[in-house]
Amino acid sequence: MAVDLLLGLQWGDEGKGKIVDVLTANYDIIARFQGGPNAGHTLEFDGIKHVLRTIPSGIFHKKAVNVIGNGVVIDPVVFVKELHGLDALDVDYKSRLIISRKAHLILPTHRLLDAASEAAKGKAKIGSTLKGIGPTYMDKTGRNGIRVGDLELDNWKEKYRALADKHLGMIDFYNTEVQFNLEEMEVEFFEAVTELKKLTFIDSEEYLNQAIKSGKTILAEGAQGSLLDIDFGTYPFVTSSNTTAAGACTGLGVAPTRIKEVYGIFKAYTTRVGSGPFPTELFDEVGVEMAKVGREFGAVTGRPRRCGWLDLIALKYTCEINGVTQLMMMKGDVLSGFDELKVCTAYKYKGETITHLPYNIEPENVTPIYSSFPCWKEDLTKMTETSQFPKELNTYIAFLEKELEIPIKVVSVGPDRTQTIHR
Ligand code: GDP
Ligand code: IMO
Ligand code: MG
């Protein structure tokens, strides 16, 4: 069978966790392919609200196997806390959670390096979640990293020491005032590694390709969003992995020819957390209202998310790069009762009107041009089928489908698993 792929089309937090949880009933295997504990994927069902960081969002289903792929970076300390969160909910994950030997480890000094690097950047800081993501991927591509499979070797602690010592030199170089007690951090780290080693490590590319051959269905779960992609995002205000479709191939070891459906998730408006350009950002009371009604606070850092209108130019770009075959629109319920809706359909760029995403999208370079729509007044959160949709919502959906030339197959009308309407 094939692999279907689910990813965020904006700057993250589109609602990927919720939809993976909803779709898991249709799959044998859920596989995370990139990112790490910078992600916060929220699931709500049966009165439970749970945020996952590294663990795939299929973990609450009894049948599915959850794979952490080679493209993911794992912080054992955060990971073990996640496991404790599952223990508290009596989730029997031991037989259903397996980890690629080729996934890289986030060391305590990677977190320190992240903090030092951000502090040294001053006003130009990325707004990183400070989970050590950038430094860990740097060590991966720099060919210095420590991988999960290394934990099975006798000499892994020597490798650890050499790398941590090198990091300390680098932290000195930054000459910032980052305070830390590495000894304490290391005690916590080594304890967490002992816990991590109780789980099953696998050659995940082999496992997944065998699963495909034997007819199993696989859903690949992305983290972050396409506009945070290291190559195609708003560089340098991005994360350090490929969050786009290609990342699923390199992050799991499945060939492009194996990918079938590409589910692209977007909010009916736009949010961004951290620094970087955001052409349709709102600084008025409408943006404040979106943040309030949409509860737009980061699931990982608690930082307020910046809010703005839907940017169709950016969305077209990310649909194209990912080869999206089906769209899922989230959080339409948040907009109920707004005076009007706006969608950015072009940019004013260096005196010209353009409809593609240019190299520079900073405020001094682009001004969004909007189309306006009447907004629905009805509360969507209790709706269960498309026949109940107000005409304004249908008009909005039809416009987006026409512009993007991709069907919107799911409309999410609330955070709960049940508030999901298939079209
Ligand atoms: P992810 O990182 O893509 O998994 O998304 P997050 O979990 O970081 O952020 C999405 C937030 O929106 C979470 O708090 C979800 O519970 C919530 N959410 C998801 N879908 C909907 C929806 O359709 N309506 C509303 N109101 N909230 C939603
Ligand atoms: P999920 O999977 C939203 C943002 C950070 C920062 C930039 C770099 O929940 O959608 P990093 O920690 O990777 O060095 O941060 O990327 N960022 C996210 N924003 N959702 C996420 O993940 C994010 N992961 C990273 O805020 O701007
Ligand atoms: Mg999130």
Side-chain angles (χ1 to χ4, degrees):
M1 290 290 275
V3 179
D4 292 339
L5 166 55
L6 180 142
L7 39 79
L9 296 176
Q10 295 160 319
W11 279 289
D13 302 328
E14 297 88 350
K16 299 175 291 293
K18 167 182 164 160
I19 293 295
V20 170
D21 172 60
V22 168
L23 295 181
T24 298
N26 307 332
Y27 292 91
D28 299 307
I29 298 170
I30 309 299
R32 248 294 280 278
F33 61 85
Q34 47 65 238
N38 49 348
H41 294 180
T42 314
L43 284 68
E44 287 195 36
F45 56 91
D46 301 341
I48 293 171
K49 177 175 172 173
H50 196 80
V51 179
L52 293 165
R53 310 283 296 279
T54 327
I55 295 173
S57 302
I59 199 71
F60 287 97
H61 290 252
K62 292 210 161 57
K63 267 175 40 210
V65 173
N66 289 261
V67 177
I68 298 179
N70 57 280
V72 176
V73 290
I74 302 175
D75 183 337
V77 176
V78 180
F79 185 73
V80 166
K81 285 189 186 137
E82 274 193 87
L83 295 181
H84 291 162
L86 295 178
D87 286 332
L89 294 169
D90 273 336
V91 179
D92 172 24
Y93 52 79
K94 286 219 167 62
S95 57
R96 295 191 272 114
L97 179 59
I98 50 185
I99 305 174
S100 169
R101 289 197 173 88
K102 293 195 174 77
H104 280 245
L105 290 177
I106 302 177
L107 311 187
T109 42
H110 283 130
R111 270 186 278 146
L112 296 174
L113 269 176
D114 215 357
S117 159
E118 280 283 81
K121 281 193 158 89
K123 278 200 180 130
K125 70 173 186 186
I126 308 295
S128 164
T129 60
L130 301 179
K131 302 299 169 204
I133 304 296
T136 306
Y137 280 114
M138 272 168 69
D139 271 338
K140 174 178 177 174
T141 52
R143 297 160 294 181
N144 297 309
I146 297 185
R147 300 188 289 178
V148 166
D150 291 334
L151 300 177
E152 296 172 324
L153 307 175
D154 293 333
N155 71 341
W156 85 268
K157 281 198 178 162
E158 285 163 38
K159 278 182 89 166
Y160 169 87
R161 192 76 274 146
L163 188 55
D165 286 347
K166 183 176 149 196
H167 290 160
L168 288 177
M170 292 163 75
I171 292 163
D172 271 352
F173 167 82
Y174 278 115
N175 197 20
T176 58
E177 288 174 5
V178 173
Q179 304 286 323
F180 58 89
N181 181 335
L182 185 58
E183 264 178 46
E184 268 178 24
M185 292 173 89
E186 286 186 337
V187 169
E188 195 186 26
F189 177 77
F190 288 122
E191 277 173 12
V193 166
T194 307
E195 289 299 304
L196 179 68
K197 285 173 80 173
K198 292 180 184 161
L199 291 183
T200 308
F201 301 161
I202 56 158
D203 298 324
S204 57
E205 63 281 27
E206 170 79 13
Y207 175 86
L208 292 170
N209 282 296
Q210 283 303 331
I212 293 168
K213 278 195 191 125
S214 64
K216 296 244 163 46
T217 51
I218 301 174
L219 178 64
E221 174 179 3
Q224 288 81 55
S226 299
L227 297 171
L228 290 170
D229 182 273
I230 184 71
D231 282 283
F232 302 107
T234 45
Y235 193 90
F237 301 101
V238 293
T239 191
S240 298
S241 61
N242 279 116
T243 59
T244 42
C249 296
T250 56
L252 296 175
V254 297
T257 46
R258 301 289 191 195
I259 309 268
K260 197 166 139 242
E261 296 298 330
V262 180
Y263 306 118
I265 304 206
F266 68 102
K267 280 180 190 169
Y269 49 99
T270 309
T271 65
R272 168 163 211 175
V273 59
S275 328
F278 177 0
T280 61
E281 183 168 9
L282 287 164
F283 299 96
D284 58 7
E285 64 279 9
V286 180
V288 173
E289 187 68 7
M290 270 178 197
K292 198 173 112 206
V293 183
R295 300 210 174 104
E296 297 295 357
F297 292 92
V300 172
T301 57
R303 291 177 294 176
R305 294 178 185 143
R306 301 152 63 191
C307 295
W309 296 119
L310 191 65
D311 185 339
L312 207 53
I313 303 303
L315 201 54
K316 272 184 192 166
Y317 177 78
T318 54
C319 282
E320 187 158 284
I321 281 173
N322 289 305
V324 171
T325 60
Q326 299 186 28
L327 287 162
M328 299 177 170
M329 188 175 90
M330 315 299 287
K331 297 190 105 163
D333 55 294
V334 171
L335 300 176
S336 289
F338 277 54
D339 287 341
E340 63 170 352
L341 296 182
K342 290 187 183 177
V343 177
C344 169
T345 46
Y347 294 138
K348 197 68 147 179
Y349 178 72
K350 297 186 175 168
E352 275 180 60
T353 300
I354 59 165
T355 53
H356 69 273
L357 199 69
Y359 184 73
N360 300 306
I361 61 160
E362 296 72 29
E364 61 273 24
N365 293 305
V366 296
T367 308
I369 299 172
Y370 291 108
S371 296
S372 295
F373 296 83
C375 190
W376 45 95
K377 300 282 173 257
E378 294 81 350
D379 175 9
L380 308 183
T381 59
K382 308 266 175 335
M383 294 184 181
T384 52
E385 49 185 84
T386 53
S387 62
Q388 298 165 313
F389 282 178
K391 70 174 186 317
E392 294 85 355
L393 177 61
N394 285 327
T395 305
Y396 193 66
I397 291 172
F399 174 76
L400 299 180
E401 285 186 325
K402 185 170 139 279
E403 289 291 317
L404 297 165
E405 300 180 85
I406 304 167
I408 297 179
K409 290 289 215 177
V410 167
V411 177
S412 171
V413 292
D416 195 85
R417 199 187 257 175
T418 56
Q419 292 171 302
T420 312
I421 301 175
H422 296 266
R423 291 176 80 237

